[in-house]
Amino acid sequence: MYVGTLFWRVMARDLWCLNMRLTCASAANNFNPFIGGDAAPCTLPVTITVVTMVASLLRRGIGDLPTEVLQAAFTCLSALQLGDVAQVCRNWRPIAFDTPLDSISSGAIKRCMHRLESGRERPIDFDVVYQGTETWVPNRIVPLLSRALPRAKHLGINVDSIFRLEIEDALCAPAPHLMLLHMRYYAEQNSDLHISMGLGKIPKLNGRELFVGPVGALPAPSIVHLRDIRLWNVVLPPNDIPAFAQVETVWWMHEFETDQYELPLYLFEFFPNVRHLRMKGGNCYFENAPFSTEVKERFLALESLEIHFQNDTVARFFDELPLSLMREVLVDEPDGDNVYAAFAGLVTPFTIEYTRTGRGVTEFFITVRDGRAGSTRTRRFVEHTTWYEPETRDPESTPITNEFFENDFEGQMGDLLIQSSLWSILVPVMPGYPTAQRLIVELDTCMNQTQTPPFEALALPALETLVLSCKHDWDPGFCYVHADDIVRFADQLTRGALDLELRGVFVDGLSFHQLQSRFRSVTENHPWWT
């Protein structure tokens, strides 16, 4: 049987590696505890250990393989084979069903449907991404969507707009668990015919509402879970949608080549409880400006606003709306004028942070926080590392895109935070911050291992405190750093005495006294440690 053969290969390979690793480790050690000093390698105890481990694994059987080995093995199987494997035992069942598939096929559809029918109505995440115009969507995916909707907690749909009639017909059914909706239509031909119609208001629906079904059939609590909605290339209908009444996070996204003549103020009617608004498009001409006091107050009530538009449109946002009074504003790749406009209302000394937007991406945030005590005003700018990396940047043809790397702001900084993965990219183009008194370096390259602070020097003559913090994705972790590397890094910043704070960072080796001789004080702060 293919399953048994596959697992036997995995098991045999792992045992062979274990045997070789232990034997080689023994052969490399010339110390014999029974004789003392240098002697011939002692391989007999290791060989006995390996045989014992092999016999122990064989006695326990294939059902005792670690989950990681099963996951690696299941990725070699097709959708139909995974369906068979899921019926072997209750331990293999969830692993087989959770194994991702890279393509849509008859077997994949069958496996998903089987999973839905045997999942005991537990909430699920359901995401469909299909870049094609074949009949797979109406014939196979839509029935699957209809079956998944009553249990969907997170729902993602990314299909061609020619299928929106069938998709939205399937969505007009109760979705009591739905918390996040991500819907994106794209179009290759006749896009205006399909995208110009309002969401959920096509004639075929006959009075039914999205995620509710027939109007009045279900009480309001059945739809109050939806809190996050992300719409790409979707036009809202003339009337509001009841399922959107409690949404707090809204993404209103369009392609960067599109034009909008008016600012979509109707978003506040569809999403009366919105707190976080993200808007993206090409140009907006603000033909409905100037805005009333009520409209401005709705923007001021937002906890955050993200703007992803052409720079001319971003400038109109700052001209027509009181963004300087908002708590948090994010601008995507702003020009110099918009950087200065974003600073209106902030007070020095600023706190500035350079952090990545996620692992393995080229985008990073420049975050500036107001210097007043207790203030929550924050400005974020999205930049791309390709504009700053020495190997890809030509200083003559590619100027620095953000004014923060010019000299206008160098004397207005109080605290500076930067992640180690960005240090070598950004520090060479930084002007230096002569007024910065505290530096926080987040070691984000790898967790639970020994890390080395950056080598590139950054002059901070007023520095008083150095903070080394371990950061893994969005969560704190722990790592190890050699004491002499910490001292070398501090010397590159300033020769003055410093206070050192370690957050999730442990000193590797037995040289902790080196830190005590270099720093005024050494504080270990591990809030996650219990």
Side-chain angles (χ1 to χ4, degrees):
M1 182 180 178
Y2 59 84
V3 177
T5 303
L6 175 64
F7 283 127
W8 179 255
R9 290 175 181 173
V10 173
M11 177 184 265
R13 181 189 62 189
D14 286 357
L15 292 181
W16 177 82
C17 292
L18 179 64
N19 189 3
M20 290 296 295
R21 183 160 53 246
L22 291 176
T23 302
C24 292
S26 176
N29 184 6
N30 290 333
F31 178 78
N32 192 319
F34 300 102
I35 301 177
D38 294 335
C42 178
T43 59
L44 181 59
V46 176
T47 304
I48 293 175
T49 303
V50 171
V51 172
T52 302
M53 296 176 66
V54 172
S56 175
L57 283 174
L58 291 177
R59 282 197 305 269
R60 285 186 291 174
I62 196 172
D64 297 307
L65 284 172
T67 301
E68 294 77 10
V69 176
L70 293 173
Q71 291 173 338
F74 285 172
T75 58
C76 303
L77 303 180
S78 66
L80 292 176
Q81 291 171 341
L82 285 170
D84 295 335
V85 168
Q87 302 179 47
V88 172
C89 65
R90 64 181 180 181
N91 293 332
W92 289 14
R93 188 181 187 83
I95 302 175
F97 279 133
D98 291 339
T99 302
L101 296 175
D102 296 330
S103 61
I104 295 179
S105 62
S106 299
I109 297 293
K110 178 181 178 181
R111 188 191 73 154
C112 291
M113 188 65 75
H114 181 66
R115 175 63 165 159
L116 290 171
E117 294 173 351
S118 59
R120 299 180 182 178
E121 302 303 319
R122 288 173 294 185
I124 61 171
D125 295 344
F126 189 83
D127 193 13
V128 175
V129 180
Y130 188 74
Q131 304 288 330
T133 58
E134 294 79 6
T135 57
W136 272 100
V137 173
N139 295 341
R140 299 292 185 89
I141 296 180
V142 169
L144 188 64
L145 173 62
S146 299
R147 183 65 182 84
L149 187 60
R151 295 172 49 191
K153 183 178 180 181
H154 295 172
L155 177 62
I157 299 173
N158 187 341
V159 297
D160 193 291
S161 62
I162 65 173
F163 300 119
R164 62 162 300 186
L165 305 181
E166 294 85 353
I167 291 292
E168 292 178 21
D169 181 52
L171 294 180
C172 287
H177 301 288
L178 189 61
M179 298 182 63
L180 183 148
L181 170 66
H182 183 186
M183 179 177 291
R184 181 169 187 170
Y185 289 134
Y186 77 96
E188 297 180 356
Q189 298 178 353
N190 302 324
S191 59
D192 294 339
L193 174 63
H194 304 283
I195 295 182
S196 60
M197 291 184 293
L199 174 66
K201 297 300 180 182
I202 54 181
K204 184 180 178 181
L205 301 185
N206 297 324
R208 292 180 295 146
E209 292 284 356
L210 290 175
F211 311 117
V212 179
V215 177
L218 290 175
S222 65
I223 57 174
V224 297
H225 295 288
L226 186 57
R227 291 292 185 272
D228 192 331
I229 187 167
R230 307 173 185 184
L231 302 177
W232 286 74
N233 302 329
V234 174
V235 176
L236 293 175
N239 302 320
D240 60 355
I241 298 175
F244 296 169
Q246 301 299 323
V247 171
E248 298 178 352
T249 300
V250 177
W251 289 18
W252 183 244
M253 316 289 281
H254 293 273
E255 302 302 331
F256 209 57
E257 298 81 13
T258 59
D259 291 336
Q260 301 178 37
Y261 293 97
E262 296 183 352
L263 188 66
L265 302 179
Y266 51 81
L267 292 177
F268 293 111
E269 300 176 7
F270 280 89
F271 309 102
N273 290 294
V274 59
R275 299 166 60 188
H276 307 276
L277 178 59
R278 181 178 187 180
M279 305 176 68
K280 179 179 179 180
N283 292 300
C284 181
Y285 300 108
F286 286 80
E287 292 186 357
N288 52 343
F291 302 121
S292 65
T293 303
E294 181 182 359
V295 170
K296 296 179 181 179
E297 290 177 351
R298 293 302 303 269
F299 276 93
L300 290 177
L302 294 174
E303 294 186 15
S304 65
L305 173 66
E306 298 187 22
I307 307 173
H308 303 260
F309 286 91
Q310 301 281 0
N311 276 303
D312 291 342
T313 296
V314 173
R316 292 295 302 273
F317 270 93
F318 285 104
D319 292 339
E320 303 293 346
L321 295 169
L323 301 191
S324 62
L325 302 178
M326 292 190 62
R327 280 172 280 186
E328 181 172 333
V329 178
L330 181 147
V331 183
D332 189 5
E333 293 190 342
D335 59 11
D337 292 338
N338 289 326
V339 170
Y340 283 104
F343 272 86
L346 298 186
V347 175
T348 60
F350 305 129
T351 296
I352 181 172
E353 303 172 359
Y354 299 94
T355 57
R356 289 191 181 272
T357 59
R359 179 173 292 273
V361 299
T362 60
E363 290 183 339
F364 68 95
F365 287 136
I366 301 177
T367 303
V368 184
R369 305 187 187 277
D370 191 275
R372 287 171 291 193
S375 175
T376 59
R377 291 184 185 176
T378 304
R379 302 295 177 259
R380 297 181 188 271
F381 308 104
V382 180
E383 296 286 341
H384 293 265
T385 57
T386 52
W387 293 100
Y388 302 91
E389 292 175 342
E391 60 272 16
T392 59
R393 176 179 174 267
D394 182 1
E396 297 182 359
S397 61
T398 309
I400 295 300
T401 60
N402 197 291
E403 295 295 322
F404 257 106
F405 299 103
E406 303 298 337
N407 294 323
D408 293 352
F409 298 101
E410 64 175 355
Q412 304 181 47
M413 301 301 157
D415 292 352
L416 174 64
L417 183 150
I418 183 170
Q419 292 181 339
S420 59
S421 61
L422 292 171
W423 186 281
S424 61
I425 299 174
L426 301 182
V427 165
V429 298
M430 285 183 178
Y433 301 111
T435 60
Q437 297 184 351
R438 186 170 71 154
L439 172 65
I440 303 174
V441 180
E442 291 186 344
L443 305 175
D444 64 330
T445 53
C446 57
M447 188 175 66
N448 308 345
Q449 298 182 18
T450 299
Q451 297 197 37
T452 303
F455 286 96
E456 293 80 6
L458 177 64
L460 300 174
L463 191 65
E464 295 289 334
T465 304
L466 172 62
V467 180
L468 296 181
S469 175
C470 183
K471 189 75 169 180
H472 180 70
D473 290 337
W474 301 109
D475 299 319
F478 71 92
C479 61
Y480 301 90
V481 179
H482 288 289
D484 51 353
D485 288 335
I486 298 177
V487 172
R488 174 192 55 78
F489 179 65
D491 291 341
Q492 294 180 158
L493 303 173
T494 180
R495 290 291 181 177
L498 296 174
D499 296 317
L500 176 65
E501 181 179 347
L502 303 176
R503 300 177 181 174
V505 175
F506 297 90
V507 179
D508 197 9
L510 302 177
S511 54
F512 194 82
H513 66 278
Q514 292 181 254
L515 302 183
Q516 296 175 327
S517 61
R518 172 62 177 86
F519 297 97
R520 287 192 301 253
S521 64
V522 180
T523 304
E524 294 185 77
N525 182 12
H526 312 303
W528 50 267
W529 190 271
T530 57

